[in-house]
Amino acid sequence: VHGGFLRKIFHNKMNPQPPQAVGSIWNVNSWHWENKNYTEVASHLIKEKLTNFTFGRDGINITIVRIPKVKGEAQINVRKGKQILCYELDIDVEWNAENDEDIAEGTFNIRDLNESDLDFEVNNIVCNEKTKITDRVKEIIRKLAKPELDKIFKNFNEDLSKFESDPRKIEEDKKRREEEYARTQQAKLEKGLEKERIAELQKQKEMEFKEQMSKLAADQ
């Protein structure tokens, strides 16, 4: 997984028009390569998008009630002021289902959600216990979950990138860099003034020493 993840990072560097990004303070003009961990942001977005999402057929409604775990990693890589998005995630899903006849609950897994395409898989469909509708629910999930989730994830790259290329964030970063530059210049100025003060004190001490030596020579 990690090898493939790294290969995708370098593959995505070829994106001709990546969105704008901001690096850390040390990364002047966001020019240098910098990896920014976006796993927590991606996990938050996924939970926000999927929780309470409902789909169904033939009078059966299936609702995603909880996302207990998002596994994998997500990065936004900064280079030359642009961002390169890369993620590879597996998602555990808990669902409830119901119709006029009965209820059911269970889990399934979304495997290999990535930035390159929507070729993820929905598998490991499990019902917690047998009810009148469990077989039909599993069949609906097998047939409908993937196309329904495609609708959810089709803009996921754009949504995740917005966290990095948000104009407000870019403007705040610009202001932060300007303040950091001003502090650095002030520190240099103060350091320069301190050096001048020390040099002047040294010069005065040397002059006083010469005067003392001259007096001693005159007294002899």
Side-chain angles (χ1 to χ4, degrees):
V1 172
H2 293 291
F5 186 73
L6 290 174
R7 282 194 296 273
K8 285 197 289 184
I9 290 176
F10 289 102
H11 171 75
N12 288 344
K13 285 176 67 178
M14 304 308 293
N15 183 352
Q17 291 184 324
Q20 192 172 1
V22 293
S24 302
I25 282 293
W26 62 263
N27 194 350
V28 179
N29 295 325
S30 302
W31 186 258
H32 302 287
W33 182 270
E34 179 182 354
N35 296 331
K36 304 179 79 172
N37 188 335
Y38 261 61
T39 304
E40 186 174 343
V41 174
S43 178
H44 171 77
L45 275 177
I46 286 168
K47 291 177 180 180
E48 189 176 72
K49 285 176 172 293
L50 293 186
T51 303
N52 296 321
F53 177 68
T54 299
F55 63 98
R57 190 176 65 184
D58 300 331
I60 296 177
N61 292 319
I62 302 166
T63 302
I64 295 174
V65 294
R66 196 167 80 92
I67 305 298
K69 185 179 292 186
V70 177
K71 296 168 285 188
E73 54 188 325
Q75 292 181 1
I76 286 184
N77 303 284
V78 177
R79 178 72 170 101
K80 295 184 179 180
K82 302 299 181 183
Q83 61 169 266
I84 302 159
L85 177 63
C86 190
Y87 58 87
E88 190 171 303
L89 303 166
D90 291 347
I91 305 160
D92 291 339
V93 175
E94 293 182 359
W95 53 265
N96 289 344
E98 63 179 358
N99 69 356
D100 295 336
E101 189 178 10
D102 209 341
I103 61 173
E105 59 182 24
T107 60
F108 64 81
N109 177 258
I110 300 170
R111 185 176 181 274
D112 193 24
L113 177 68
N114 64 79
E115 81 293 337
S116 300
D117 49 48
L118 288 175
D119 194 27
F120 59 87
E121 298 176 2
V122 174
N123 54 26
N124 298 329
I125 304 167
V126 176
C127 295
N128 293 347
E129 60 182 58
K130 182 76 172 177
T131 72
K132 294 179 181 179
I133 64 172
T134 49
D135 290 340
R136 280 179 287 168
V137 169
K138 290 175 71 173
E139 184 64 19
I140 292 170
I141 292 174
R142 271 193 291 268
K143 291 185 176 180
L144 289 188
K146 176 65 169 61
E148 290 292 333
L149 291 170
D150 282 347
K151 300 173 187 177
I152 292 287
F153 290 125
K154 68 178 181 179
N155 295 321
F156 188 68
N157 285 8
E158 181 182 348
D159 294 338
L160 189 57
S161 295
K162 284 178 182 177
F163 277 82
E164 184 65 21
S165 58
D166 187 334
R168 289 176 301 177
K169 183 175 181 179
I170 293 172
E171 187 61 32
E172 288 171 0
D173 178 76
K174 180 182 177 182
K175 182 179 179 181
R176 187 179 60 191
R177 291 178 188 277
E178 289 173 349
E179 291 172 350
E180 181 68 16
Y181 177 77
R183 284 194 295 270
T184 301
Q185 293 301 107
Q186 182 64 26
K188 287 181 180 179
L189 177 61
E190 291 174 357
K191 188 175 181 180
L193 291 173
E194 180 65 13
K195 283 185 177 180
E196 289 180 7
R197 188 182 70 81
I198 293 173
E200 185 63 28
L201 287 173
Q202 185 64 30
K203 185 177 179 181
Q204 289 178 2
K205 288 180 180 179
E206 289 176 357
M207 291 179 62
E208 290 173 359
F209 178 74
K210 287 180 180 179
E211 288 177 0
Q212 291 174 358
M213 295 301 293
S214 296
K215 287 181 181 179
L216 287 173
D219 291 341
Q220 292 178 356

